[in-house]
């Protein structure tokens, strides 16, 4: 499957927003015990990203510091 630039941009923006949420002091102050975590959301977005990559393109991974090759 080929990835549209728009979808790739949305995925990257979503990952960046989740990272900002995780680092936000107000998030740490919330007593929140969900069944799924923000890490689960990140993993789902990464899997979506991997599914949309063309076969010849190397896979990039996401860490807390950003994307890496």
């Amino acid at each position: 499957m080929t990835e549209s630039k728009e979808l790739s941009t949305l995925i990257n923006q979503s990952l960046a927003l989740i990272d900002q949420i995780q680092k936000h002091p107000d998030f740490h102050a919330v007593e929140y015990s969900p069944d799924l975590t923000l890490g689960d959301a990140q993993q789902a977005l990464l899997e979506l990203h991997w599914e949309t990559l063309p076969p010849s393109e190397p896979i990039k991974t996401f860490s807390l510091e950003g994307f890496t090759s």
Side-chain angles (χ1 to χ4, degrees), residues 2-62:
T2 60
E3 178 180 29
S4 73
K5 290 182 182 180
E6 183 178 327
L7 179 57
S8 176
T9 299
L10 290 171
I11 292 169
N12 291 336
Q13 289 172 344
S14 298
L15 288 167
L17 286 170
I18 290 171
D19 186 50
Q20 288 178 31
I21 290 168
Q22 287 176 320
K23 293 176 181 177
H24 198 282
D26 290 344
F27 176 73
H28 294 286
V30 174
E31 292 185 29
Y32 181 58
S33 300
D35 290 336
L36 300 173
T37 67
L38 292 177
D40 295 323
Q42 285 174 316
Q43 184 63 36
L45 288 167
L46 288 172
E47 290 177 21
L48 174 61
H49 179 72
W50 295 333
E51 288 296 319
T52 61
L53 288 176
S56 61
E57 188 174 319
I59 294 176
K60 295 181 180 183
T61 58
F62 185 79

